[in-house]
Amino acid sequence: MKTKIKELRKQNKLSQDELAEAVDVTRQTITSLECEKYTASLVLAYKIAHYFNLTIEEVFDFSDIN
Amino acid sequence: MENYKKTLQNKLRATAIMLCFGSAVFIIGQQGYLSKFYPQGNFGDFFRGFHAGIFIALVICLIASAARIGAILKDEKQLKADYIKNTDERNLKISELTGYKLYKSLITPIIVASIAAGYFSSTVFFTLLAVSAFIVIVSFTRWIYYNKII
């Protein structure tokens, strides 16, 4: 699934480690999300969106679904 | 986090109990009480060596595990890092896909069974040992594969 995590992270000058620690996951999970290898669970998607003060739809691209 | 801390404390206690139990078994074995049960000949020598090797490996693993848990419990930063590592959803997904829990629950009984079988038959001993080695190799290979694709 496409995400805007990388862009948002760069806008906020955050490292993968810092974002990972903030949302209680490992750095590898953030890498996998950015590389579109892994689809986040609803809880993780909410945590990431909430961290950037955005909605889930604004961070994750659901256009591929359906 | 408090629950995780308690889990680690329980793990540390279990490790200490296993270490004491393992040491007791080894000391009893060294006193010669088990020597009459050992198989004779070349296989008997190999089997004794295997027992000693397994015990030494077990003790090293248990001491290393106890030291690691002790260090984690002392440092809040390490505790959080370990908590994240163990509850990370990607890691849990990889564990689920590799069947890590199943392999983990299979390997101990098979190794114990192979040691017990060694007193009666070398064929069964080597077969069970090969099965446990196969399980470890398959589990590790699957873990590498899923770690790469996810």
Side-chain angles (χ1 to χ4, degrees):
Chain A
M1 180 183 276
K2 284 178 187 167
T3 75
K4 289 180 186 165
I5 296 173
K6 200 172 183 177
E7 297 160 37
L8 291 164
R9 200 169 52 73
K10 285 189 174 168
Q11 275 172 23
N12 289 275
K13 289 176 184 165
L14 275 173
S15 68
Q16 286 185 332
D17 272 318
E18 286 166 331
L19 177 61
E21 204 182 328
V23 295
D24 289 340
V25 291
T26 57
R27 187 188 54 76
Q28 287 90 338
T29 303
I30 300 294
T31 309
S32 289
L33 287 169
E34 288 183 359
C35 297
E36 298 167 26
K37 280 182 176 179
Y38 177 67
T39 304
S41 70
L42 183 61
V43 176
L44 181 58
Y46 172 78
K47 278 183 179 178
I48 292 170
H50 185 74
Y51 183 78
F52 291 116
N53 284 321
L54 296 168
T55 61
I56 292 176
E57 291 93 330
E58 285 170 318
V59 180
F60 296 87
D61 181 5
F62 291 93
S63 61
D64 287 347
I65 295 172
N66 283 329
Chain B
M1 194 66 85
E2 273 306 306
N3 283 345
Y4 186 66
K5 206 171 184 175
K6 277 180 191 166
T7 309
L8 282 183
Q9 283 166 344
N10 289 338
K11 232 179 198 178
L12 192 61
R13 273 186 217 115
T15 306
I17 291 167
M18 275 168 71
L19 201 56
C20 292
F21 179 71
S23 303
V25 170
F26 187 70
I27 290 164
I28 290 167
Q30 288 301 305
Q31 298 299 317
Y33 294 119
L34 299 174
S35 57
K36 60 183 171 189
F37 299 110
Y38 275 115
Q40 300 301 310
N42 286 342
F43 176 67
D45 293 339
F46 169 79
F47 194 54
R48 277 168 194 255
F50 181 81
H51 269 193
I54 279 275
F55 175 77
I56 292 164
L58 189 73
V59 166
I60 290 170
C61 289
L62 288 174
I63 290 172
S65 169
R68 193 185 70 87
I69 296 171
I72 289 168
L73 284 171
K74 278 181 190 164
D75 185 0
E76 282 295 317
K77 210 175 173 185
Q78 272 195 58
L79 182 70
K80 199 189 174 192
D82 195 62
Y83 172 76
I84 286 173
K85 195 179 160 191
N86 280 291
T87 55
D88 177 59
E89 61 175 56
R90 180 177 164 271
N91 284 347
L92 293 177
K93 178 89 179 168
I94 291 170
S95 292
E96 193 186 311
L97 289 168
T98 50
Y100 176 70
K101 276 186 184 170
L102 177 70
Y103 290 130
K104 207 176 160 186
S105 56
L106 276 176
I107 199 82
T108 313
I110 290 176
I111 288 176
V112 170
S114 78
I115 290 171
Y119 287 103
F120 311 105
S121 162
S122 60
T123 311
V124 179
F125 170 76
F126 284 119
T127 306
L128 289 173
L129 209 60
V131 168
S132 49
F134 179 74
I135 287 173
V136 170
I137 292 165
V138 169
S139 172
F140 189 62
T141 312
R142 282 173 67 99
W143 183 82
I144 289 173
Y145 172 73
Y146 284 114
N147 204 31
K148 213 168 185 179
I149 65 158
I150 291 179

